[in-house]
Amino acid sequence: MDLETSTLKIFQKVIWCFIVLISLGYMMVWLMMPTNTFFMHWLPDIQAKADPIYFGKQGTTILVYTFPIIFMATLASLYHHMMQKGSNHDIESSKMGFLRKASWRKPLFVNGHLGIISRTEFSFIIMFVVLLIWSLCSYLHGMFAKVALQAANERVQMWETKLENSALALGLVGNICLAFMFFPVSRGSSILRFIGLTSEASIKYHIWLGHIAMTFFTAHGLCYVTFWDKTHQISEIFTWNKVGISNVAGVVALLAGLAMWAATFPVIRRKFFELFFYIHHLYIVFVVFYVLHVGFSYSCIMLPGLYLFLIDRYLRFLQSQQKIRLVSARVLPCEAVELNFSKNPGLCYAPTSIIFINVPSISKLQWHPFTITSCSNTDYDTLSIVIKSSGNWSHTLYQKLSTSSSPAHLDVSVEGPYGPASTFFSRHEMLVMVSGGSGITPFISIIRSLLSKANTEGCKAPRVLLICSFKKSIDLTLIDLLLPISGTALDTSCLQLQIEAYVTREKQTEMNDRKLLQTLWFKSNALDEPISKVFGQNNWLYLGIIITTSFILFLLIIAILTRYYIYPIDHNSDLIYPYFSRSILSMFFICVSIVIAATSVFLWNKKQNKDLRQIKNTSTPITSPASVYYETEREVESLPLQSFTQLAKIHYGERPDMKKILSNCDGSSSIGVLVSGPRKMRHEVASICKSCSTDDLHFESISFSW
């Protein structure tokens, strides 16, 4: 066993080195791409050595721009598979690399428009901005070198030629942002996981890239419209060339992008989220017409991120087709409900992971993310989430479950779980968890995980200070969710847990009557299955296989199509065969390749595990004195408010003094500060941590979905 572990570690290091080397080479391509050296020497040399009969000129762009990322994603999938096999599902990690070091994780900027920015993030932001400035200046320098000759040939004024070249340069720089935009929204991305990111935490990068890209693309379009207007060529807007750039396709792509961009601003996104959600599906129109605008060959710049996103999206679709066994629900007096699903015992996930759920009886189209509150170490065959009644969808669900006519069975589909590869919580001497309202949900899984580790492994657990702030005293029932529904036998005294609860809008308790938690047990359905990864415990291995086989299949189809259909017509002149047809066929065969590869692997894996994937039916518990039966084999159990709520120190009519609380923790040699809650609270805690004197202080603003 030791030899096998050592071999796995060696292979992991080799793969890690390969990925780093490919990454450095790929960054060099981006640095050289705006230069004349790249376009006039490097790219032509590669095209001359490549076989144009089978792939045409697009073969070169696929090799330079697309292949490195696809290869990295495959290697990263294999790396994660080895990590999973070698770690024996241990999701607690103390070695996270330099990106996890406390000095790099400390907040650098707090109150800016970008939110909380760590030193690591700021470093990468600076590098990316430098890349954009370098690219824009390089493009303009190369274009302006021959602007006089170009103006004479086009019979226009010098400034008009410069405007035209500037418009082109702005579009080219916008493509850099577009090339990276799809990586953060690939929830099961092996590349994101390799660099220690999750899709949920990376969504802000997608937003930033979207804003920058649309700024460049809008300027690109306005400059061209101004140029055409001044040179009396306004009809160019509506041209669709057989070969080369198709302007009308660019107009359609820009209009779709502007519609999405407008819907992303906080005024619309927060007040009309469903409008934002549905308008964002215009990304399909944007991508299709973007490819038609520039041609498939050049669009290979943004193809890697899009390709991996399409694989991820289709795998999510396959997972969502299976109905999941809903075991029980705990209805809380604070208009929240905890749903408990059956899960495969082999499914492991880290604390703070999320899952997307769909309830067809409420909406067949809406998928909502929720933070997982259970712990895979203690809740072996169940997975739990908490949903607060705060919107139309969640309010409808709460009404369904809180009435006496609640359903005996509820159809639910899921996507996920998605979360970090590992966590850092155990390495600290003290953990300070600060939550506001529903922000307590990610801390439930963390505390359960620490309890399990302290009980089973006997190791010293960090001291935990949980500071939770609520508006009303009735919300204190959320604290009791720190223990699972099973009434776990874990010894809570093994964890030094101190709970400071603040009720900000009440001077004294209004809980005169004893509040009850109601537990509903649901009937099982023969077609329901427990939650599991799409491909079970070998999920990363199969993902790597799908990425590789689908890409090879796509190359084979393109090679056959080019050799026996396009080449006899065009002979690689790019002047006869329409760009439109080539682009449509390429996009179609990308989708076909992904569907064939993913479906084949999915069906094969399902057949292999047919005998193992059995429904985990949970029997109805013994009736308690306070139980009320609504139907046969179904029970609603009422439990009094107890345990952790009674241990908590409750402060009424005041807010936590975070500066004082954190200053009292300065005596600890290693502190982890986690904050989850409203924007104002996160910024307040981040500002205090920024000026904290403790050297080993790890700050993290945890995203939560409720």
Side-chain angles (χ1 to χ4, degrees), residues 242-537:
K242 182 179 179 181
V243 295
I245 300 296
S246 299
N247 294 331
V248 68
V251 171
V252 175
L254 180 59
L255 291 176
L258 288 173
M260 289 188 291
W261 195 20
T264 60
F265 287 94
V267 176
I268 297 178
R269 190 182 74 248
R270 293 173 183 171
K271 293 185 178 181
F272 308 99
F273 180 80
E274 291 185 4
L275 177 65
F276 156 78
F277 175 77
Y278 291 119
I279 287 180
H280 225 63
H281 284 81
L282 286 174
Y283 80 87
I284 300 172
V285 177
F286 175 83
V287 168
V288 170
F289 281 90
Y290 168 84
V291 175
L292 296 178
H293 173 55
V294 301
F296 182 79
S297 179
Y298 186 77
S299 66
C300 288
I301 289 177
M302 52 82 69
L303 181 60
L306 177 64
Y307 192 90
L308 297 177
F309 169 77
L310 291 175
I311 291 177
D312 178 75
R313 186 66 191 88
Y314 185 66
L315 292 178
R316 284 156 44 196
F317 168 77
L318 291 176
Q319 185 185 25
S320 66
Q321 298 309 295
Q322 180 59 59
K323 299 302 179 185
I324 299 301
R325 164 84 162 100
L326 178 59
V327 179
S328 63
R330 280 203 283 185
V331 182
L332 282 69
C334 58
E335 293 193 353
V337 59
E338 180 191 52
L339 300 182
N340 299 282
F341 301 95
S342 172
K343 85 168 183 70
N344 191 315
L347 174 63
C348 294
Y349 49 86
T352 73
S353 296
I354 66 167
I355 197 166
F356 287 75
I357 76 166
N358 169 262
V359 181
S361 60
I362 300 177
S363 173
K364 294 182 179 179
L365 298 177
Q366 293 187 32
W367 288 81
H368 294 266
F370 296 98
T371 303
I372 298 175
T373 55
S374 55
C375 169
S376 56
N377 292 334
T378 57
D379 308 284
Y380 300 106
D381 55 3
T382 58
L383 183 148
S384 305
I385 60 174
V386 177
I387 302 174
K388 176 75 172 179
S389 176
S390 58
N392 293 334
W393 186 90
S394 56
H395 181 71
T396 303
L397 178 64
Y398 181 78
Q399 290 297 320
K400 275 179 173 289
L401 300 178
S402 60
T403 61
S404 58
S405 58
S406 54
H409 178 269
L410 196 64
D411 285 335
V412 181
S413 298
V414 305
E415 291 179 1
Y418 307 105
S422 56
T423 55
F424 67 95
F425 310 121
S426 289
R427 79 175 184 88
H428 291 290
E429 182 183 337
M430 183 172 188
L431 280 179
V432 180
M433 304 180 185
V434 186
S435 70
S438 53
I440 194 175
T441 50
F443 298 150
I444 296 174
S445 60
I446 295 174
I447 290 175
R448 289 189 188 182
S449 176
L450 293 174
L451 270 173
S452 170
K453 204 170 184 65
N455 275 261
T456 57
E457 299 181 16
C459 59
K460 183 181 178 181
R463 292 184 293 117
V464 178
L465 172 60
L466 174 61
I467 304 166
C468 42
S469 179
F470 303 105
K471 293 179 180 179
K472 299 179 180 180
S473 56
I474 198 171
D475 295 327
L476 292 170
T477 51
L478 291 170
I479 298 176
D480 271 339
L481 297 181
L482 293 173
L483 286 177
I485 191 173
S486 57
T488 177
L490 294 177
D491 182 7
T492 56
S493 63
C494 293
L495 183 65
Q496 299 180 59
L497 175 62
Q498 179 184 350
I499 303 176
E500 300 284 340
Y502 292 81
V503 181
T504 59
R505 294 189 179 180
E506 293 179 5
K507 296 297 183 181
Q508 59 183 2
T509 178
E510 295 182 2
M511 299 175 65
N512 297 322
D513 300 324
R514 187 173 60 173
K515 302 298 181 179
L516 301 178
L517 300 178
Q518 290 186 323
T519 305
L520 287 72
W521 299 88
F522 295 97
K523 290 182 178 179
S524 61
N525 188 307
L527 298 178
D528 291 346
E529 291 193 9
I531 297 177
S532 63
K533 291 285 188 181
V534 183
F535 302 115
Q537 296 185 21

Side-chain angles (χ1 to χ4, degrees), residues 434-440 675-682 701-702 704:
V434 186
S435 70
S438 53
I440 194 175
V675 59
S676 175
R679 179 187 179 93
K680 184 178 179 180
M681 171 179 282
R682 288 185 278 117
S701 178
I702 298 181
F704 70 97

Side-chain angles (χ1 to χ4, degrees), residues 556-701:
L556 287 174
I557 295 174
I558 290 297
I560 295 172
L561 179 72
T562 304
R563 175 64 183 87
Y564 297 103
Y565 177 60
I566 297 177
Y567 182 78
I569 299 174
D570 191 81
H571 298 286
N572 283 329
S573 66
D574 280 346
L575 299 174
I576 302 174
Y577 193 79
Y579 274 33
F580 172 84
S581 301
R582 189 192 295 267
S583 299
I584 289 293
L585 287 173
S586 298
M587 287 188 288
F588 173 73
F589 287 125
I590 283 176
C591 297
V592 168
S593 302
I594 291 173
V595 169
I596 291 176
T599 305
S600 300
V601 174
F602 178 78
L603 294 177
W604 182 84
N605 178 71
K606 193 172 183 178
K607 184 179 179 180
Q608 291 292 111
N609 298 323
K610 187 176 181 180
D611 296 333
L612 299 177
R613 301 182 65 182
Q614 298 176 353
I615 301 174
K616 300 293 182 181
N617 290 320
T618 305
S619 59
T620 304
I622 300 174
T623 308
S624 64
S627 299
V628 180
Y629 279 96
Y630 289 137
E631 297 182 38
T632 307
E633 299 181 356
R634 187 160 174 276
E635 179 184 356
V636 177
E637 185 178 358
S638 300
L639 299 175
L641 190 65
Q642 56 183 352
S643 64
F644 277 122
T645 303
Q646 296 177 348
L647 298 177
K649 184 178 180 181
I650 304 175
H651 308 265
Y652 289 95
E654 59 179 295
R655 298 174 60 85
D657 186 348
M658 295 309 308
K659 190 171 184 179
K660 180 179 178 181
I661 293 172
L662 290 177
S663 64
N664 292 334
C665 301
D666 274 352
S668 301
S669 59
S670 176
I671 304 174
V673 180
L674 313 177
V675 59
S676 175
R679 179 187 179 93
K680 184 178 179 180
M681 171 179 282
R682 288 185 278 117
H683 285 194
E684 178 189 355
V685 177
S687 298
I688 298 171
C689 291
K690 180 182 175 182
S691 57
C692 187
S693 59
T694 303
D695 293 329
D696 189 6
L697 187 145
H698 181 116
F699 172 85
E700 185 164 348
S701 178

Side-chain angles (χ1 to χ4, degrees), residues 175-219:
N175 291 333
I176 299 175
C177 302
L178 188 60
F180 294 96
M181 195 182 301
F182 286 96
F183 287 104
V185 290
S186 298
R187 298 174 190 165
S189 171
S190 58
I191 293 179
L192 279 183
R193 193 181 183 95
F194 181 80
I195 59 179
L197 296 174
T198 64
S199 177
E200 187 73 7
S202 305
I203 199 68
K204 62 181 179 182
Y205 308 137
H206 173 75
I207 296 172
W208 297 348
L209 289 169
H211 285 310
I212 299 172
M214 286 311 304
T215 300
F216 277 110
F217 288 148
T218 302

